[in-house]
Amino acid sequence: MEAENFQNYTLGEIYPNYSLEWEISNFIKVWIAVATSLSYCKFTSKLVPKGLPRLLTFFPVICLFLYLPLNLHSMHLCGTTSFFIAWLSNFKILLLAFNKGPLSDPSLSLPQFLAVGCFPIKIQPNPPPKSQTKQNPSPQNPQNGHKSLWNYAIKVLLVAAFVRIYNYSEHIHPKVILVLYCFHIYFMLEIMFAMVAALARATVGSKLEPQFDEPYLSTSLQDFWGRRWNIMVTSILRPTVYGPALSVWTRLLGRKWAPLPATFFTFMVSAVMHELIFYYLGRGRPTGKITGFFILHGVCLVVEIGMKKVLKGRCRLPPAVSRPLTIGFVVVTGFWLFLPELRRCKGFVRAFDEYMLAAAFVKDMVGGAVKFRNYDGTGK
């Protein structure tokens, strides 16, 4: 696959009526509808019994959340909104219908309910006293996943550097550009999710669990998908898909082998949701490559889990070997099946153009503010 030339297209050519002001206006309207709908879910959940009656009450909201992303067209606003509401919010609403999941906590205030319902965040439970923590240290302290501001600042600078490098893509080997694409996607996702988490933390006043935990340090596919990459997706797929599937397969295969088909089924659902998000981004018929990516990873993860059960911890590779193998497999399969879909919907071209539009918008705002401050009332 050849590297994308960022000067071939503009957002105006892809969407003739597109403007940043128009997109922001639609974005505000969409999120007003989301907040109103989630408020409706909170209050009706207290009046309607759990189960099918509550699910039928929530059904119009679920349909609305599937429709709302169609009103947005930018990579960043449409991509994040479709992921947040068409996938995560809808799955949380499905759990709430049966009085499960993060929204079922009766202690959540309305702002907390809206934040948890809208965004890929999870409120941390109150930490134990320091004395108890010292006596009984937890091996999986959630604080370990939080990063310093320097960590995010470096990633912002790297993204800015990538954008500059793309201007010279015709002089760089296509495979190098593809590697930069992979890191660009990861850095942008982590930066955007961190910004959302910071906003939500300022709103709800609670500590939040991290969204990523340095996935490039993964030592296996199970480590990558289950513990490090987009942790909030894992935490929402576990009760909505994996748990029910595990219960069904346990009755058929027993507890030892039931996780294998349950894991594969979870990847199939994830594939469907990713295909939906790519449809929002490109508005084109799916090619099946995204589904192929997740089927391949699901099969490989099932094989990995099965081998671990058979070997029982024997023949474990050292991290110096397992990390390059894991990340290499993710990157190569991403080159093959994932990135072509981003290229097909002109994802990086549009994202680059959006950076330029946002920079021009901020420049105009700052220039207007300076002119207003210097205005002396005489028209000068």
Tab-separated table of all heavy atoms in Angstrom, residues 46-84:
chain	number	residue	atom	x	y	z
A	46	LYS	N	-35.757	4.645	37.461
A	46	LYS	CA	-36.295	4.591	38.824
A	46	LYS	C	-37.782	4.228	38.837
A	46	LYS	O	-38.310	3.804	39.873
A	46	LYS	CB	-36.095	5.941	39.512
A	46	LYS	CG	-34.636	6.352	39.668
A	46	LYS	CD	-34.526	7.725	40.316
A	46	LYS	CE	-33.081	8.160	40.460
A	46	LYS	NZ	-32.952	9.511	41.084
A	47	LEU	N	-38.436	4.388	37.695
A	47	LEU	CA	-39.880	4.172	37.639
A	47	LEU	C	-40.263	2.851	36.988
A	47	LEU	O	-41.304	2.278	37.323
A	47	LEU	CB	-40.537	5.326	36.854
A	47	LEU	CG	-40.274	6.741	37.379
A	47	LEU	CD1	-40.894	7.763	36.436
A	47	LEU	CD2	-40.819	6.901	38.790
A	48	VAL	N	-39.429	2.381	36.049
A	48	VAL	CA	-39.760	1.186	35.273
A	48	VAL	C	-38.944	0.013	35.802
A	48	VAL	O	-37.725	0.134	35.991
A	48	VAL	CB	-39.458	1.407	33.779
A	48	VAL	CG1	-39.834	0.171	32.966
A	48	VAL	CG2	-40.224	2.630	33.272
A	49	PRO	N	-39.573	-1.137	36.058
A	49	PRO	CA	-38.821	-2.287	36.564
A	49	PRO	C	-37.798	-2.790	35.555
A	49	PRO	O	-37.969	-2.641	34.345
A	49	PRO	CB	-39.908	-3.345	36.826
A	49	PRO	CG	-41.060	-2.929	35.974
A	49	PRO	CD	-41.009	-1.433	35.907
A	50	LYS	N	-36.730	-3.380	36.090
A	50	LYS	CA	-35.657	-3.870	35.215
A	50	LYS	C	-36.149	-5.025	34.348
A	50	LYS	O	-37.173	-5.658	34.637
A	50	LYS	CB	-34.462	-4.318	36.046
A	50	LYS	CG	-34.749	-5.536	36.935
A	50	LYS	CD	-33.510	-5.927	37.722
A	50	LYS	CE	-33.803	-7.161	38.591
A	50	LYS	NZ	-32.611	-7.577	39.367
A	51	GLY	N	-35.410	-5.267	33.279
A	51	GLY	CA	-35.767	-6.341	32.366
A	51	GLY	C	-36.371	-5.801	31.086
A	51	GLY	O	-36.073	-4.683	30.650
A	52	LEU	N	-37.246	-6.576	30.490
A	52	LEU	CA	-37.825	-6.208	29.201
A	52	LEU	C	-38.588	-4.891	29.244
A	52	LEU	O	-38.469	-4.085	28.302
A	52	LEU	CB	-38.737	-7.341	28.709
A	52	LEU	CG	-39.344	-7.145	27.319
A	52	LEU	CD1	-38.254	-6.984	26.265
A	52	LEU	CD2	-40.275	-8.313	26.979
A	53	PRO	N	-39.405	-4.600	30.278
A	53	PRO	CA	-40.101	-3.301	30.286
A	53	PRO	C	-39.148	-2.110	30.211
A	53	PRO	O	-39.376	-1.163	29.453
A	53	PRO	CB	-40.872	-3.322	31.609
A	53	PRO	CG	-41.065	-4.773	31.912
A	53	PRO	CD	-39.811	-5.441	31.427
A	54	ARG	N	-38.068	-2.162	30.999
A	54	ARG	CA	-37.111	-1.055	30.972
A	54	ARG	C	-36.366	-1.018	29.642
A	54	ARG	O	-36.082	0.060	29.112
A	54	ARG	CB	-36.121	-1.176	32.132
A	54	ARG	CG	-35.272	0.066	32.329
A	54	ARG	CD	-34.246	-0.103	33.433
A	54	ARG	NE	-34.858	-0.236	34.746
A	54	ARG	CZ	-34.164	-0.393	35.876
A	54	ARG	NH1	-32.836	-0.454	35.822
A	54	ARG	NH2	-34.784	-0.523	37.026
A	55	LEU	N	-36.046	-2.182	29.079
A	55	LEU	CA	-35.362	-2.226	27.787
A	55	LEU	C	-36.214	-1.579	26.705
A	55	LEU	O	-35.707	-0.821	25.870
A	55	LEU	CB	-35.038	-3.674	27.414
A	55	LEU	CG	-34.335	-3.886	26.068
A	55	LEU	CD1	-32.978	-3.180	26.052
A	55	LEU	CD2	-34.164	-5.381	25.788
A	56	LEU	N	-37.529	-1.854	26.708
A	56	LEU	CA	-38.420	-1.236	25.728
A	56	LEU	C	-38.496	0.278	25.933
A	56	LEU	O	-38.611	1.043	24.966
A	56	LEU	CB	-39.815	-1.861	25.823
A	56	LEU	CG	-39.911	-3.338	25.410
A	56	LEU	CD1	-41.320	-3.858	25.666
A	56	LEU	CD2	-39.530	-3.506	23.948
A	57	THR	N	-38.413	0.705	27.187
A	57	THR	CA	-38.416	2.142	27.481
A	57	THR	C	-37.158	2.815	26.933
A	57	THR	O	-37.202	3.954	26.457
A	57	THR	CB	-38.507	2.368	28.996
A	57	THR	OG1	-39.671	1.714	29.507
A	57	THR	CG2	-38.593	3.845	29.325
A	58	PHE	N	-36.021	2.106	26.986
A	58	PHE	CA	-34.751	2.655	26.517
A	58	PHE	C	-34.559	2.507	25.006
A	58	PHE	O	-33.658	3.139	24.441
A	58	PHE	CB	-33.575	1.955	27.220
A	58	PHE	CG	-33.469	2.255	28.691
A	58	PHE	CD1	-32.653	1.487	29.510
A	58	PHE	CD2	-34.175	3.306	29.265
A	58	PHE	CE1	-32.530	1.756	30.860
A	58	PHE	CE2	-34.072	3.579	30.622
A	58	PHE	CZ	-33.254	2.807	31.417
A	59	PHE	N	-35.358	1.681	24.356
A	59	PHE	CA	-35.127	1.363	22.951
A	59	PHE	C	-35.086	2.598	22.049
A	59	PHE	O	-34.216	2.684	21.162
A	59	PHE	CB	-36.177	0.371	22.449
A	59	PHE	CG	-35.936	-0.110	21.059
A	59	PHE	CD1	-34.895	-0.984	20.780
A	59	PHE	CD2	-36.739	0.317	20.009
A	59	PHE	CE1	-34.659	-1.430	19.489
A	59	PHE	CE2	-36.511	-0.115	18.715
A	59	PHE	CZ	-35.471	-0.994	18.460
A	60	PRO	N	-35.983	3.581	22.217
A	60	PRO	CA	-35.875	4.789	21.368
A	60	PRO	C	-34.552	5.530	21.540
A	60	PRO	O	-34.020	6.078	20.566
A	60	PRO	CB	-37.060	5.654	21.824
A	60	PRO	CG	-38.029	4.683	22.420
A	60	PRO	CD	-37.183	3.633	23.062
A	61	VAL	N	-34.011	5.533	22.751
A	61	VAL	CA	-32.725	6.194	22.992
A	61	VAL	C	-31.612	5.449	22.263
A	61	VAL	O	-30.726	6.062	21.647
A	61	VAL	CB	-32.432	6.277	24.501
A	61	VAL	CG1	-31.026	6.826	24.752
A	61	VAL	CG2	-33.474	7.143	25.193
A	62	ILE	N	-31.641	4.125	22.310
A	62	ILE	CA	-30.626	3.324	21.620
A	62	ILE	C	-30.654	3.607	20.121
A	62	ILE	O	-29.613	3.796	19.479
A	62	ILE	CB	-30.849	1.826	21.902
A	62	ILE	CG1	-30.617	1.531	23.399
A	62	ILE	CG2	-29.939	0.965	21.047
A	62	ILE	CD1	-30.996	0.127	23.817
A	63	CYS	N	-31.848	3.676	19.550
A	63	CYS	CA	-31.978	3.984	18.122
A	63	CYS	C	-31.485	5.401	17.815
A	63	CYS	O	-30.811	5.633	16.795
A	63	CYS	CB	-33.431	3.828	17.681
A	63	CYS	SG	-34.043	2.138	17.748
A	64	LEU	N	-31.815	6.346	18.689
A	64	LEU	CA	-31.364	7.725	18.491
A	64	LEU	C	-29.847	7.809	18.520
A	64	LEU	O	-29.233	8.514	17.701
A	64	LEU	CB	-31.961	8.622	19.571
A	64	LEU	CG	-31.520	10.097	19.535
A	64	LEU	CD1	-32.016	10.763	18.251
A	64	LEU	CD2	-32.027	10.836	20.768
A	65	PHE	N	-29.205	7.076	19.441
A	65	PHE	CA	-27.749	7.110	19.551
A	65	PHE	C	-27.079	6.473	18.330
A	65	PHE	O	-25.930	6.801	18.029
A	65	PHE	CB	-27.298	6.407	20.825
A	65	PHE	CG	-27.484	7.245	22.071
A	65	PHE	CD1	-28.148	8.456	22.025
A	65	PHE	CD2	-26.993	6.814	23.292
A	65	PHE	CE1	-28.320	9.233	23.161
A	65	PHE	CE2	-27.151	7.584	24.437
A	65	PHE	CZ	-27.821	8.794	24.364
A	66	LEU	N	-27.773	5.577	17.648
A	66	LEU	CA	-27.241	5.024	16.410
A	66	LEU	C	-27.385	6.014	15.252
A	66	LEU	O	-26.603	5.976	14.299
A	66	LEU	CB	-27.963	3.719	16.051
A	66	LEU	CG	-27.695	2.527	16.979
A	66	LEU	CD1	-28.599	1.357	16.601
A	66	LEU	CD2	-26.227	2.097	16.922
A	67	TYR	N	-28.347	6.911	15.353
A	67	TYR	CA	-28.602	7.881	14.279
A	67	TYR	C	-27.762	9.152	14.417
A	67	TYR	O	-27.297	9.713	13.419
A	67	TYR	CB	-30.087	8.250	14.275
A	67	TYR	CG	-30.393	9.493	13.467
A	67	TYR	CD1	-30.397	9.465	12.078
A	67	TYR	CD2	-30.655	10.715	14.111
A	67	TYR	CE1	-30.661	10.617	11.337
A	67	TYR	CE2	-30.921	11.863	13.377
A	67	TYR	CZ	-30.921	11.807	11.996
A	67	TYR	OH	-31.180	12.940	11.270
A	68	LEU	N	-27.543	9.620	15.626
A	68	LEU	CA	-26.920	10.925	15.841
A	68	LEU	C	-25.554	11.097	15.178
A	68	LEU	O	-25.267	12.181	14.643
A	68	LEU	CB	-26.809	11.202	17.347
A	68	LEU	CG	-28.119	11.551	18.060
A	68	LEU	CD1	-27.895	11.681	19.558
A	68	LEU	CD2	-28.717	12.833	17.487
A	69	PRO	N	-24.660	10.096	15.167
A	69	PRO	CA	-23.354	10.314	14.514
A	69	PRO	C	-23.447	10.627	13.028
A	69	PRO	O	-22.500	11.178	12.456
A	69	PRO	CB	-22.618	8.981	14.748
A	69	PRO	CG	-23.241	8.414	15.974
A	69	PRO	CD	-24.692	8.807	15.886
A	70	LEU	N	-24.570	10.302	12.389
A	70	LEU	CA	-24.733	10.599	10.963
A	70	LEU	C	-24.820	12.100	10.701
A	70	LEU	O	-24.720	12.532	9.545
A	70	LEU	CB	-25.986	9.906	10.423
A	70	LEU	CG	-25.942	8.382	10.417
A	70	LEU	CD1	-27.304	7.823	10.009
A	70	LEU	CD2	-24.859	7.862	9.474
A	71	ASN	N	-25.001	12.906	11.737
A	71	ASN	CA	-25.061	14.359	11.584
A	71	ASN	C	-23.692	15.013	11.615
A	71	ASN	O	-23.597	16.233	11.470
A	71	ASN	CB	-25.932	14.957	12.702
A	71	ASN	CG	-27.385	14.535	12.595
A	71	ASN	OD1	-28.132	15.091	11.816
A	71	ASN	ND2	-27.776	13.535	13.370
A	72	LEU	N	-22.643	14.218	11.812
A	72	LEU	CA	-21.282	14.742	11.885
A	72	LEU	C	-20.437	14.129	10.777
A	72	LEU	O	-20.706	13.017	10.324
A	72	LEU	CB	-20.661	14.437	13.252
A	72	LEU	CG	-21.427	14.982	14.467
A	72	LEU	CD1	-20.828	14.445	15.757
A	72	LEU	CD2	-21.418	16.502	14.466
A	73	HIS	N	-19.392	14.868	10.351
A	73	HIS	CA	-18.599	14.411	9.222
A	73	HIS	C	-17.090	14.456	9.460
A	73	HIS	O	-16.343	13.835	8.718
A	73	HIS	CB	-18.927	15.253	7.980
A	73	HIS	CG	-20.344	15.129	7.533
A	73	HIS	ND1	-21.359	15.918	8.060
A	73	HIS	CD2	-20.935	14.300	6.636
A	73	HIS	CE1	-22.498	15.581	7.489
A	73	HIS	NE2	-22.276	14.610	6.624
A	74	SER	N	-16.628	15.190	10.446
A	74	SER	CA	-15.187	15.272	10.664
A	74	SER	C	-14.678	13.977	11.291
A	74	SER	O	-15.409	13.273	11.990
A	74	SER	CB	-14.848	16.457	11.577
A	74	SER	OG	-15.159	16.161	12.918
A	75	MET	N	-13.417	13.676	11.035
A	75	MET	CA	-12.822	12.457	11.588
A	75	MET	C	-12.826	12.475	13.107
A	75	MET	O	-13.158	11.484	13.750
A	75	MET	CB	-11.391	12.300	11.071
A	75	MET	CG	-11.278	11.869	9.628
A	75	MET	SD	-11.969	10.226	9.327
A	75	MET	CE	-10.851	9.210	10.301
A	76	HIS	N	-12.463	13.615	13.687
A	76	HIS	CA	-12.317	13.672	15.133
A	76	HIS	C	-13.670	13.724	15.842
A	76	HIS	O	-13.921	12.959	16.780
A	76	HIS	CB	-11.465	14.882	15.520
A	76	HIS	CG	-10.053	14.774	15.045
A	76	HIS	ND1	-9.657	15.217	13.811
A	76	HIS	CD2	-8.945	14.270	15.636
A	76	HIS	CE1	-8.357	14.991	13.658
A	76	HIS	NE2	-7.896	14.426	14.752
A	77	LEU	N	-14.551	14.603	15.405
A	77	LEU	CA	-15.832	14.752	16.094
A	77	LEU	C	-16.768	13.589	15.807
A	77	LEU	O	-17.418	13.054	16.714
A	77	LEU	CB	-16.498	16.073	15.701
A	77	LEU	CG	-15.725	17.339	16.070
A	77	LEU	CD1	-16.536	18.579	15.715
A	77	LEU	CD2	-15.355	17.347	17.554
A	78	CYS	N	-16.846	13.161	14.544
A	78	CYS	CA	-17.696	12.021	14.215
A	78	CYS	C	-17.128	10.734	14.792
A	78	CYS	O	-17.871	9.907	15.329
A	78	CYS	CB	-17.845	11.906	12.692
A	78	CYS	SG	-18.859	10.508	12.160
A	79	GLY	N	-15.811	10.556	14.684
A	79	GLY	CA	-15.199	9.331	15.190
A	79	GLY	C	-15.389	9.152	16.684
A	79	GLY	O	-15.817	8.089	17.147
A	80	THR	N	-15.078	10.194	17.447
A	80	THR	CA	-15.222	10.074	18.900
A	80	THR	C	-16.687	9.975	19.317
A	80	THR	O	-17.027	9.178	20.205
A	80	THR	CB	-14.568	11.280	19.597
A	80	THR	OG1	-15.102	12.498	19.049
A	80	THR	CG2	-13.070	11.270	19.404
A	81	THR	N	-17.557	10.748	18.679
A	81	THR	CA	-18.974	10.710	19.056
A	81	THR	C	-19.589	9.348	18.758
A	81	THR	O	-20.327	8.799	19.589
A	81	THR	CB	-19.750	11.805	18.302
A	81	THR	OG1	-19.231	13.090	18.670
A	81	THR	CG2	-21.241	11.760	18.647
A	82	SER	N	-19.293	8.777	17.595
A	82	SER	CA	-19.849	7.470	17.264
A	82	SER	C	-19.336	6.401	18.225
A	82	SER	O	-20.092	5.524	18.644
A	82	SER	CB	-19.507	7.094	15.820
A	82	SER	OG	-18.108	7.056	15.623
A	83	PHE	N	-18.059	6.488	18.588
A	83	PHE	CA	-17.508	5.519	19.535
A	83	PHE	C	-18.132	5.684	20.910
A	83	PHE	O	-18.503	4.705	21.562
A	83	PHE	CB	-15.990	5.683	19.607
A	83	PHE	CG	-15.331	4.885	20.695
A	83	PHE	CD1	-15.422	3.508	20.723
A	83	PHE	CD2	-14.628	5.508	21.711
A	83	PHE	CE1	-14.821	2.758	21.724
A	83	PHE	CE2	-14.016	4.786	22.714
A	83	PHE	CZ	-14.116	3.409	22.717
A	84	PHE	N	-18.272	6.921	21.360
A	84	PHE	CA	-18.789	7.180	22.694
A	84	PHE	C	-20.257	6.771	22.840
A	84	PHE	O	-20.631	6.123	23.828
A	84	PHE	CB	-18.647	8.659	23.045
A	84	PHE	CG	-17.235	9.105	23.297
A	84	PHE	CD1	-16.942	10.438	23.533
A	84	PHE	CD2	-16.179	8.203	23.290
A	84	PHE	CE1	-15.645	10.860	23.761
A	84	PHE	CE2	-14.878	8.615	23.505
A	84	PHE	CZ	-14.609	9.953	23.739
